[in-house]
Amino acid sequence: MSSEDVAQARERVIESMEQSAEVYGLSRSAGRIYGVLYFAEEPLSIPTLVEATGYAKSTVSNVTRKLSRLGLIHRRSSDGGGRRVRFEAEREVWFIIQDVFQQYIDREIQASLRTLQRAEGQLPAEGRSHEAERIQDLRDTYEDLQEIVALTSGLSVSELREALEAYE
Amino acid sequence: MSSEDVAQARERVIESMEQSAEVYGLSRSAGRIYGVLYFAEEPLSIPTLVEATGYAKSTVSNVTRKLSRLGLIHRRSSDGGGRRVRFEAEREVWFIIQDVFQQYIDREIQASLRTLQRAEGQLPAEGRSHEAERIQDLRDTYEDLQEIVALTSGLSVSELREALEAYE
DNA sequence: TCGTTTGTTCGAGATGAACCGAACAAAGTG
DNA sequence: CACTTTGTTCGGTTCATCTCGAACAAACGA
């Protein structure tokens, strides 16, 4: 039966997404729910997801909210006129990665930069201690990183690849 | 006292590293131990780190091993002739990020690609199901990602910034 | 050789996250 | 107005991780 093959292939990919979710700091349930939505042909409601994944209703509710906030899935409310909330996967994986970068890494970079600048302001100006040099090294790198994130945030995956290949 | 200011600034930066460590999937102790080593003027032994951080010897032992494996710090054994193991921080933060990419993200990409290729091989050739298209979309993106990681792995942070700024 | 220092490994306690089931609120349907 | 369906929130359980202290192994020094 080829439909069984299709189902098995689909299941394997979803299992791989469960694994990937852990690497990206998400739960396994988040990976599975995203996977089911990724292959779905239409937006799915929470009861449908409960049946498709086997997770409890509360788990699906919490995970879908988290995934929505991160931009991995989208709420399609007031679709068929019902009050049912339906979810659709963002299938452009590159967008997801960019968003995660924006929301995790960039926030982290900015918080670190703030701390570093405050620390530098506290240091005596003349002494030029080796701590001051170390802190300035950190700040330089983080500013480069911030700039790189900003530069890549507007590029598609093929544009980024092109930019890197052109530089040789 | 300006030396107190220096110590306080150093402490703030180390606290920021504790925070960052959590974002990168490491423990707070890992952030602090790396921070102490980052500001140290010479490689430090485990007892010294115990005194400087307040963590137990076993914790320092486990964390230094993990940080060494990840490439964030380096073992400097047989340095002064003694059998003391001494650790030195890798201060090029960009190297660290590249290593993390190499060891975490790239491995993850390759594992996913393997799964996707196996899943594609299992699908019936004629049917051209919508699952097949979805899986192929995923594979295309992951191959682009793999290529991007490969292209950036040899570049310094300023080269990467230059490459992106040149593409406009 | 015996004691000391250094580093690793083991088991235990504490902390936090994931997940579940139940209770609850809101809105549609008879 | 009941009744059902949907979605959120809350408390509890389970499980992994962090950290500690103690026991142990290896090597150095007196």
Side-chain angles (χ1 to χ4, degrees), chain A residues 27-29 54-59 83:
Chain A
S27 58
R28 295 186 71 82
S29 56
Y55 283 108
K57 201 170 47 159
S58 54
T59 302
R83 258 299 152 255

Side-chain angles (χ1 to χ4, degrees), chain B:
Chain B
M1 277 300 156
S2 94
S3 75
E4 282 184 10
D5 279 347
V6 171
Q8 193 182 4
R10 204 186 81 121
E11 173 62 21
R12 279 190 181 166
V13 173
I14 292 180
E15 279 171 7
S16 170
M17 288 175 172
E18 283 182 337
Q19 191 94 13
S20 301
E22 284 188 329
V23 175
Y24 297 142
L26 299 172
S27 58
R28 294 185 72 81
S29 56
R32 173 155 294 270
I33 288 173
Y34 174 82
V36 168
L37 288 174
Y38 179 83
F39 283 107
E41 306 197 37
E42 54 184 4
L44 302 182
S45 66
I46 289 186
T48 312
L49 283 170
V50 167
E51 207 217 335
T53 63
Y55 283 109
K57 202 171 45 161
S58 54
T59 302
V60 174
S61 175
N62 288 322
V63 171
T64 48
R65 178 174 28 189
K66 182 163 194 175
L67 289 176
S68 294
R69 184 159 37 85
L70 293 175
L72 275 79
I73 64 178
H74 304 289
R75 291 179 80 109
R76 301 291 184 218
S77 50
S78 72
D79 191 296
R83 259 297 152 258
R84 297 244 286 271
V85 181
R86 291 164 177 276
F87 296 95
E88 189 174 20
E90 170 59 59
R91 294 203 186 80
E92 290 288 337
V93 178
W94 178 246
F95 288 166
I96 293 176
I97 294 174
Q98 280 184 327
D99 276 14
V100 168
F101 255 71
Q102 214 81 35
Q103 295 177 37
Y104 272 77
I105 309 299
D106 198 63
R107 181 190 310 174
E108 167 57 27
I109 289 177
Q110 287 185 17
S112 297
L113 272 178
R114 243 177 287 130
T115 301
L116 289 170
Q117 286 163 0
R118 210 177 319 155
E120 275 188 324
Q122 193 175 18
L123 290 175
E126 351 81 70
R128 199 178 210 72
S129 58
H130 97 286
E131 278 92 351
E133 283 185 27
R134 298 273 158 94
I135 291 178
Q136 190 181 343
D137 285 350
L138 274 182
R139 190 167 63 91
D140 289 345
T141 304
Y142 270 81
E143 281 174 349
D144 278 335
L145 280 176
Q146 189 179 37
E147 186 66 20
I148 287 172
V149 172
L151 285 170
T152 54
S153 71
L155 299 182
S156 71
V157 64
S158 51
E159 285 172 335
L160 178 54
R161 185 172 171 171
E162 202 178 324
L164 291 172
E165 283 170 345
Y167 185 88
E168 182 38 21

